[in-house]
Amino acid sequence: MSLHNAPVPTQEEPSHSPNTAWRRGLVAIFAATFFELTGLFLFNPLLLFTLKGAGWSDAAVGLVAASSWLGLALATPFTAGWVARLGLRGALIASGIVPFFALLLMALTPWPLGWAALSMAAGAAGALRWIVAEATVAELAPDHRRGRIVGLFETMVGVTFIAGPALLAWLGTDGTAANTARWLAVGLSGTGLLLSLAVPHLSSHHPTDGTAPRLGLRGIADAMRAQPVLMVAGAVGGFFEAGTSGVLPLYGLSVGFAAAAAALLVSASGLGSALAMVPIGELSDRWSHRKVFLACASLNLLATLALPLVPLWSPAAALIAFVWGGAGGALYTLAMIDIGHRQQGVQLVTTTAVLVLSYTVGGMCAPVLGGLALTWAPGWGLPLLMSTTAAAGLLTLHHHLRRAASLH
């Protein structure tokens, strides 16, 4: 039974109507997440510029930048445990408290080594926010609108990647402007925390009769075995949506693009991701979920097969990047919609964590393997890597989806 249509309120659930509860919950989660992420994406590049201006080496600055991702990776397997202890609302509030105080302390203290530890703490809280917010949005959304609402949420998250850096570019990174930007980031994070308090009390649906799913690493392993489709969709989606941001500029340079044109390929990918999520969500609500999955994976493969055209017609590179961003992001979004249809509460959180881990692994593999392909086999290495990955993803998804359909 979904959280939004539960007929009997529990201790954590609101006493008002379920319709009012899910609407209020969705608005609060959307708004809180928007302000929190915008603040983080404003503060993080400013932190790197500050360290660079202080004479830190690129390697040292990179380690500080990686600290938030390390915190995210370490915390992801344990998010379901925090939800079981704190409840959905409590976990969302905790995910707002930690980054707010982390940014506040970084703004107040001139201690660069401490900034790395605070950044790691903010990253760990970011894992909690990412997973719990996505899981809660998927569960609160009515069945017939889940695709549309999850698509809107993914689009909103994508906007924060643009809004934070754009605010920093507008304010500036030197002197008084940098200080203003720093405190604006703290204020945005604080606003996100306050809006998190508006999230209604929601049940985490965690049984106490011994039938509860296992938590932590064991729960992650259980979900991986039970949901291979989500692992494949997450990994392929991360590879082509997030991971290619580290490959496209290098590929553009390798085929003769100027540096500015090569960098714009990343923008083309981001634009595809931003524009595709809502239409894909709508299509998922109206059409066979399995067919939409396979259509996106097929489109992704077709785009990779067009890579050899780029040296002959340079605009093809932007079109391919656009499709990769849209199709890759769609695979992640469709997997999130599928989780919302099938699960709820702590189990939904655990399965979302598996999806996030798979997406992260895919995003990490793409720049590493892409760089090796460009180095070892210029000209044909990258097209072979991308087409092989896309084809393997399509065939694996088709196999697991067909198997799942036969079991039902």
Side-chain angles (χ1 to χ4, degrees), residues 35-45 99 103 122-123 126 164 185 188-189:
F35 281 101
E36 180 179 322
L37 292 182
T38 301
L40 286 173
F41 294 135
L42 167 59
F43 195 96
N44 287 343
L103 296 189
L188 289 169
S189 181

Side-chain angles (χ1 to χ4, degrees), residues 15-402:
S15 57
H16 44 275
S17 72
N19 187 57
T20 303
W22 73 256
R23 289 182 184 276
R24 177 185 165 193
L26 286 173
V27 170
I29 292 170
F30 267 67
T33 303
F34 175 82
F35 281 101
E36 180 179 322
L37 292 182
T38 301
L40 286 173
F41 294 135
L42 167 59
F43 195 96
N44 287 343
L46 177 59
L47 174 62
L48 303 186
F49 291 141
T50 301
L51 293 173
K52 188 65 178 174
W56 284 45
S57 68
D58 290 338
V61 173
L63 286 174
V64 173
S67 63
S68 63
W69 289 99
L70 177 60
L72 189 149
L74 292 175
T76 294
F78 305 102
T79 51
W82 284 106
V83 171
R85 294 180 182 90
L86 302 176
L88 288 170
R89 182 175 184 268
L92 284 168
I93 293 172
S95 73
I97 291 173
V98 175
F100 170 71
F101 282 102
L103 296 189
L104 180 63
L105 289 173
M106 281 191 276
L108 290 173
T109 57
W111 186 35
L113 291 177
W115 294 346
L118 291 168
S119 181
M120 185 183 298
L128 191 62
R129 166 68 66 173
W130 182 358
I131 294 168
V132 175
E134 296 227 14
T136 307
V137 166
E139 185 167 357
L140 282 174
D143 290 342
H144 64 290
R145 295 183 186 174
R146 182 167 288 116
R148 177 193 302 177
I149 291 173
V150 172
L152 282 170
F153 185 80
E154 302 299 346
T155 300
M156 181 275 295
V157 171
V159 169
T160 66
F161 281 81
I162 302 170
L167 281 173
L168 180 59
W170 177 60
L171 291 169
T173 60
D174 298 321
T176 304
N179 197 47
T180 300
R182 193 173 291 114
W183 285 106
L184 176 59
V186 174
L188 289 169
S189 181
T191 302
L193 172 58
L194 291 175
L195 288 168
S196 296
L197 299 176
V199 175
H201 289 282
L202 303 167
S203 173
S204 59
H205 297 288
H206 192 60
T208 58
D209 58 359
T211 62
R214 296 193 295 181
L215 304 176
L217 294 175
R218 291 179 178 179
I220 293 290
D222 291 342
M224 285 181 173
R225 287 191 292 267
Q227 301 288 343
V229 171
L230 302 182
M231 292 179 62
V232 175
V236 176
F239 193 96
F240 283 95
E241 183 186 29
T244 52
S245 63
V247 176
L248 287 169
L250 298 176
Y251 175 70
L253 293 175
S254 73
V255 294
F257 285 20
L264 284 176
L265 294 177
V266 178
S267 298
S269 175
L271 183 63
S273 178
L275 294 180
M277 296 307 102
V278 174
I280 287 295
E282 289 280 0
L283 195 59
S284 176
D285 286 338
R286 301 170 186 271
W287 202 31
S288 163
H289 200 69
R290 175 175 177 270
K291 290 180 180 178
V292 181
F293 247 132
L294 295 177
C296 290
S298 300
L299 185 60
N300 194 46
L301 175 59
L302 289 175
T304 66
L305 297 177
L307 270 176
L309 297 176
V310 173
L312 304 175
W313 187 54
S314 59
L319 293 175
I320 291 168
F322 181 89
V323 173
W324 281 351
L331 290 174
Y332 176 92
T333 298
L334 288 166
M336 193 67 247
I337 294 168
D338 187 69
I339 294 171
H341 281 317
R342 297 174 183 273
Q343 297 178 350
Q344 59 185 14
V346 171
Q347 184 59 53
L348 189 151
V349 172
T350 296
T351 310
T352 302
V354 169
L355 177 61
V356 169
L357 282 172
S358 302
Y359 182 89
T360 302
V361 169
M364 291 170 60
C365 288
V368 174
L369 297 178
L372 291 174
L374 289 169
T375 301
W376 292 347
W380 59 268
L382 188 69
L384 178 62
L385 169 68
M386 305 307 278
S387 58
T388 301
T389 303
L394 173 60
L395 291 174
T396 306
L397 278 173
H398 181 266
H399 169 73
H400 286 299
L401 287 169
R402 184 175 63 179

